[in-house]
């Protein structure tokens, strides 16, 4: 053990040095307080043996001074003096001496005092190590709290700040020096009636931890807070989780839409098959009805309109399903936005301010579906401003960077915004507005915004409530821009004239009623129809016709066949037999791959169910036009 001996009498100093050294200690001796302080500045001495009376400062003064140092209570001080009065002993102990040895002293008495000192120094050393470890732990904790991305602060029992980390300083927007020692409720009076206040008071009163999420006072930012009792008051961690909640809401909405899509797709498929039969038979009845039967033709016309309306509703259901892929074509979004916005406000007491950026990029979209989105958002704006006002509609080019918070792949987009001047959407409802069947209207279905969300999503875009305040709400959606020229049919037939001349058509559908109906409708157009129930039979019929040197002008293939080859599998086999086969895919389910990207699969066109006689005729005309255009190229 290192011992510092401070004694001005040379003989006494030598004797003490020798006796102490004999006990195996490392002794440093000096004769005055100034030298002792210099030694203490260089080296830590757990034991000091100090003479009371010294030149200049006394040993008692040194004792008092050392005890004021941060670690001054961790050394053992043995005071030596010729004074024997009990009052002197009390004065020495009051100054901070641990023990007292009077002169002249005997060797045995010195040994006893040193033994006591050695034992107590060991205890002091253990306490010193514990304190160092505690200080190091506290420093590590401070480092962690300062480097964490969470905001953190601590309050005492009187609700006064005792600690504020750097992140909390940023979150509060107040320097921590202006917070420490200040009362929490006085600095933030607006929190008094909030969720934060109720939970904080419970933590203090019940000494229980609380974890919760709540809106900040601005009504926009969501915070996640963890409050814990800490023995001296309360500690609070909090973080901004606005983005996380947005992503979770996005994921939940997507999950709900997918669940609904599974149901909607199946219902729409069967409904479209039924509507195809209804619409087709109405069309046949109109052809057979005598021209002088005006009332009958009127009734049939109304029935046809109702069937078409039902078909549009079925199409809305398909936007939820996995198969509800948009039938995309390159379009001018500026013209589409202006036309749809103006049409939506027709007859209302609202005015539209429409701003279309010059040189607005084009987009490959299903124009009818995008118009449906704009119409639904405009209707929302109308309902938000029953007394009238201005709806601001804007379309602009927009670049999404890799660091963007938007859930979109980097690239060029068109940004369409529709802003109203209504009361805004309450924070409680903002997270639910895109949920299927959620509505605040007594007569609403709750499908409007959900359908919009699904449509935009299937265009690889994103729809969200971009801005929301008591001054109004702004809905914005993004659609990928395109530079791709209009696609031409890549299939180049070698016998166009022969195929165009033939009146033979092959129809494949697993529903007997639809097969028969399609054959009847085509027969009214003077076509010779061969109808088969599945892909395998279609392949056999087509192969037999080829062996006989015969051809089919067109082949209609149903996309989905229960228990058999569907349209996609069938076209692959037919193209192996005849690379120039003219096939049209039909479906009441709008398979995402085959219906939207029919050219990729080898089809020349796509015909969604339900279809009318006129739509069937249009599909064949479009097929002819496609062949002629391709032949010219």
């Amino acid at each position: 053990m290192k011992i510092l001996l401070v004694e001005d009498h040379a003989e006494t100093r030598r004797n003490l040095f020798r006796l102490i050294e004999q006990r195996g200690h490392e002794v440093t001796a000096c004769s005055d307080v100034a030298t002792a302080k210099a030694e203490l500045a260089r080296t830590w001495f757990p034991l000091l043996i100090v003479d009371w009376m010294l030149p200049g400062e006394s040993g008692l003064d040194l004792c008092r001074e050392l005890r004021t140092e941060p670690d001054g209570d961790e050394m053992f001080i043995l005071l030596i003096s010729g004074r024997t009065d009990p009052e002197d002993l009390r004065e020495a102990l009051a100054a901070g001496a641990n023990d007292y040895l009077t002169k002249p002293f005997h060797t045995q008495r010195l040994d006893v005092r040193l033994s006591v000192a050695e034992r107590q120094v060991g205890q002091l050393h253990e306490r010193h190590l514990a304190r160092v470890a505690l200080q190091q732990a506290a420093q590590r904790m401070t480092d962690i709290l300062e480097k964490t991305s969470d905001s953190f602060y601590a309050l005492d029992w009187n609700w006064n700040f005792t600690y504020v980390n750097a992140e909390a300083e940023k979150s509060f927007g107040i320097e921590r020096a202006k917070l420490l020692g200040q009362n929490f409720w006085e600095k933030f009076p607006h929190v008094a009636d909030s969720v934060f206040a109720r939970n904080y008071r419970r933590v203090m009163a019940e000494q229980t931890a609380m974890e919760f999420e709540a809106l900040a006072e601005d009504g926009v930012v969501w915070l996640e807070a963890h409050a814990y009792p800490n023995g001296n008051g309360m500690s609070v961690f909090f973080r901004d989780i606005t983005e996380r909640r947005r992503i979770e809401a996005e994921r939940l909405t997507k999950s709900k839409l997918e669940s609904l899509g599974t149901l909607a797709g199946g219902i729409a498929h069967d409904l479209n098959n039924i509507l195809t039969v209804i619409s087709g038979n109405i069309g046949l009845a109109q052809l057979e009805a005598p021209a002088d039967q005006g009332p009958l033709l009127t009734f049939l016309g109304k029935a046809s309109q109702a069937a078409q309306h039902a078909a549009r509703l079925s199409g809305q259901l398909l936007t939820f399903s996995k198969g509800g892929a948009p039938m995309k074509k390159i379009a001018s979004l500026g013209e589409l936005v202006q036309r749809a916005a103006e049409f939506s406000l027709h007859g209302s007491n609202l005015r539209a301010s429409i701003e279309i950026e010059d040189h607005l990029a084009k987009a490959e979209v299903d124009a009818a579906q995008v118009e449906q989105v704009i119409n639904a958002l405009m209707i929302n704006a109308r309902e938000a401003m029953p007394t009238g006002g201005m709806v601001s509609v804007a379309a602009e080019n927009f670049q999404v960077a890799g660091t963007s918070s938007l859930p979109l792949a980097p690239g060029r987009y068109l940004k369409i915004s529709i802003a109203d001047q209504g009361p805004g959407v309450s924070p409680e409802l903002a997270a639910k507005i895109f949920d299927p069947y959620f509505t605040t209207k007594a007569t609403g279905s709750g499908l409007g915004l959900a359908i919009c969300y699904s449509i935009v999503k299937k265009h690889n875009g994103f729809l969200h409530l971009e801005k929301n305040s008591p001054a109004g709400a702004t809905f914005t959606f993004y659609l990928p821009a395109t530079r791709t020229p209009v696609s031409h049919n890549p299939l180049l037939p070698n016998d166009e004239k022969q195929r165009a001349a033939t009146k033979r058509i092959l129809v494949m559908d697993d529903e007997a009623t639809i097969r028969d109906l399609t054959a009847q409708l085509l027969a009214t157009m003077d076509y010779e129809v061969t109808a088969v129930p599945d892909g395998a039979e279609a392949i056999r019929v087509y192969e037999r016709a080829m062996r006989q040197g015969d051809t089919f002008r067109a082949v209609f293939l149903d996309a989905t066949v229960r228990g058999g080859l569907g349209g996609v599998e069938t076209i692959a086999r037919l193209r192996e037999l005849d690379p120039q086969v003219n096939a049209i895919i039909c479906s009441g389910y709008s398979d995402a791959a085959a219906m939207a990207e029919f050219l990729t699969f080898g089809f020349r066109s796509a015909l969604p169910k339900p279809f009318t006689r006129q739509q069937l005729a249009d599909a064949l005309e479009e097929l002819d036009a496609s062949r002629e255009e391709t032949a010219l190229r």
Side-chain angles (χ1 to χ4, degrees):
M1 179 170 59
K2 291 183 177 182
I3 298 176
L4 179 63
L5 173 62
V6 188
E7 170 62 61
D8 62 331
H9 191 273
E11 184 64 27
T12 303
R13 188 167 63 250
R14 281 194 297 272
N15 290 336
L16 285 171
F17 187 98
R18 179 175 51 80
L19 291 171
I20 296 169
E21 198 172 47
Q22 286 176 355
R23 295 178 66 89
H25 298 298
E26 180 183 342
V27 184
T28 299
C30 56
S31 60
D32 55 63
V33 170
T35 307
K37 288 181 179 180
E39 292 293 340
L40 287 167
R42 286 193 294 269
T43 308
W44 167 257
F45 294 95
L47 174 58
L48 273 69
I49 301 174
V50 183
D51 188 14
W52 185 321
M53 300 303 296
L54 292 169
E57 288 186 72
S58 68
L60 206 63
D61 293 333
L62 177 61
C63 187
R64 291 192 185 98
E65 188 175 341
L66 289 176
R67 292 309 189 198
T68 63
E69 297 293 330
D71 55 355
D73 60 342
E74 293 176 0
M75 59 180 65
F76 189 93
I77 301 177
L78 176 63
L79 199 64
I80 302 173
S81 175
R83 301 182 183 189
T84 58
D85 190 289
E87 284 299 322
D88 295 329
L89 176 59
R90 279 195 289 272
E91 184 180 359
L93 295 176
N98 297 93
D99 204 351
Y100 190 95
L101 182 62
T102 58
K103 297 178 182 179
F105 48 80
H106 299 290
T107 303
Q108 291 180 343
R109 186 182 297 174
L110 177 62
D111 285 342
V112 170
R113 290 289 184 267
L114 288 174
S115 296
V116 171
E118 288 166 354
R119 192 162 52 250
Q120 292 196 24
V121 164
Q123 295 173 355
L124 288 172
H125 183 61
E126 290 177 2
R127 189 172 73 181
H128 170 73
L129 292 178
R131 177 179 293 181
V132 169
L134 185 62
Q135 289 174 342
Q136 290 174 343
Q139 185 59 50
R140 285 195 298 271
M141 181 58 68
T142 300
D143 291 342
I144 291 171
L145 292 175
E146 287 301 313
K147 293 175 182 178
T148 183
S149 58
D150 289 351
S151 298
F152 172 82
Y153 60 91
L155 305 171
D156 62 20
W157 289 110
N158 296 317
W159 299 95
N160 295 324
F161 284 98
T162 58
Y163 184 83
V164 179
N165 76 349
E167 281 299 317
E169 187 177 39
K170 293 178 187 175
S171 298
F172 290 137
I174 303 174
E175 295 179 12
R176 67 176 94 185
K178 295 179 180 179
L179 289 173
L180 294 175
Q182 300 299 307
N183 185 269
F184 177 81
W185 305 114
E186 291 177 1
K187 297 299 291 187
F188 303 103
H190 55 271
V191 180
D193 297 323
S194 68
V195 175
F196 296 94
R198 292 193 293 272
N199 288 326
Y200 287 174
R201 293 186 188 282
R202 182 178 172 186
V203 171
M204 286 284 210
E206 301 179 11
Q207 288 294 283
T208 183
M210 294 287 294
E211 299 180 7
F212 59 95
E213 296 177 1
L215 270 172
E217 63 273 10
D218 62 4
V220 176
V221 176
W222 277 92
L223 298 175
E224 178 185 70
H226 299 251
Y228 309 95
N230 62 17
N232 298 316
M234 178 179 69
S235 298
V236 179
F237 288 91
F238 69 94
R239 67 176 65 175
D240 184 337
I241 59 166
T242 307
E243 181 64 13
R244 189 185 80 189
R245 283 183 67 94
R246 185 193 65 75
I247 294 172
E248 288 174 352
E250 170 86 6
R251 187 182 301 116
L252 182 60
T253 298
K254 181 179 179 182
S255 175
K256 290 177 180 177
L257 290 174
E258 287 177 349
S259 298
L260 180 61
T262 302
L263 174 65
I267 293 174
H269 175 265
D270 292 339
L271 180 59
N272 284 336
N273 280 340
I274 295 169
L275 287 172
T276 300
V277 176
I278 293 172
S279 296
N281 280 290
I282 290 174
L284 289 173
Q286 288 173 319
L287 290 174
E288 295 294 329
D292 59 351
Q293 294 294 317
L296 176 60
L297 290 172
T298 300
F299 298 150
L300 290 173
K302 290 181 178 180
S304 178
Q305 291 175 3
Q308 291 303 304
H309 181 66
R312 285 193 293 273
L313 293 178
S314 176
Q316 290 185 2
L317 280 178
L318 277 174
T319 62
F320 286 118
S321 71
K322 291 181 180 178
M327 305 291 286
K328 298 179 183 178
K329 293 182 180 179
I330 294 177
S332 170
L333 260 292
E335 296 173 4
L336 189 152
V337 168
Q338 182 145 1
R339 182 176 66 250
E342 290 175 348
F343 179 80
S344 298
L345 296 184
H346 182 71
S348 73
N349 58 353
L350 271 64
R351 292 177 295 111
S353 170
I354 302 176
E355 294 185 11
I356 308 295
E357 181 176 333
D358 293 338
H359 309 297
L360 188 69
K362 294 185 183 298
E364 192 173 5
V365 298
D366 185 320
Q369 288 190 359
V370 174
E371 284 190 27
Q372 184 180 344
V373 172
I374 296 170
N375 181 61
L377 296 178
M378 295 297 286
I379 289 174
N380 263 14
R382 288 176 61 170
E383 293 173 346
M385 298 185 290
T387 59
M390 177 73 74
V391 181
S392 298
V393 181
E396 59 184 305
N397 296 315
F398 190 84
Q399 185 72 33
V400 174
T403 56
S404 173
S405 61
L406 292 170
L408 294 168
R412 296 170 63 251
Y413 290 81
L414 286 87
K415 177 182 178 182
I416 295 94
S417 301
I418 297 175
D420 62 53
Q421 297 174 334
V425 183
S426 69
E428 294 77 15
L429 301 181
K432 302 177 181 179
I433 54 177
F434 295 114
D435 287 359
Y437 299 116
F438 175 80
T439 180
T440 57
K441 309 182 189 85
T443 58
S445 67
L447 288 178
L449 287 178
I451 288 176
C452 293
Y453 183 93
S454 184
I455 287 173
V456 174
K457 188 76 173 177
K458 288 181 179 179
H459 279 79
N460 298 317
F462 176 60
L463 165 65
H464 69 139
L465 178 59
E466 183 182 43
K467 296 178 183 176
N468 185 34
S469 73
T474 301
F475 285 88
T476 298
F477 64 96
Y478 301 83
L479 297 172
T482 182
R483 290 194 180 98
T484 307
V486 178
S487 298
H488 293 283
N489 197 322
L491 304 176
L492 182 62
N494 295 321
D495 55 346
E496 294 300 331
K497 292 182 179 179
Q498 182 182 354
R499 289 177 190 266
T502 183
K503 301 292 287 185
R504 298 188 66 204
I505 291 180
L506 176 61
V507 174
M508 183 274 282
D509 199 296
D510 63 335
E511 294 282 347
T513 53
I514 294 180
R515 282 199 310 275
D516 295 342
L517 173 67
T518 306
Q520 287 177 302
L521 290 172
L522 290 169
T524 65
M525 299 179 229
D526 296 327
Y527 287 107
E528 178 186 339
V529 181
T530 302
V532 295
D534 58 36
E537 183 64 22
I539 294 167
R540 283 194 291 272
V541 169
Y542 199 94
E543 186 177 15
R544 185 168 60 247
M546 288 187 67
R547 284 200 303 267
Q548 294 172 355
D550 216 343
T551 60
F552 286 100
R553 176 176 180 179
V555 178
F556 287 88
L557 298 176
D558 187 18
T560 306
V561 173
R562 295 181 178 90
L565 289 181
V568 174
E569 297 88 350
T570 303
I571 188 62
R573 298 280 294 276
L574 289 179
R575 291 197 67 200
E576 290 176 2
L577 295 172
D578 179 9
Q580 312 307 329
V581 60
N582 294 323
I584 300 174
I585 185 168
C586 304
S587 179
Y589 191 66
S590 295
D591 178 80
M595 291 296 286
E597 304 292 338
F598 56 86
L599 291 177
T600 305
F601 288 84
F603 295 98
R604 292 187 182 274
S605 185
L607 179 63
K609 296 177 183 178
F611 52 79
T612 63
R613 179 179 181 275
Q614 184 59 53
Q615 289 167 334
L616 194 62
D618 291 343
L620 287 169
E621 282 188 21
E622 186 176 339
L623 192 67
D624 291 341
S626 173
R627 282 203 304 263
E628 291 174 5
E629 181 182 354
T630 305
L632 290 172
R633 296 179 69 227

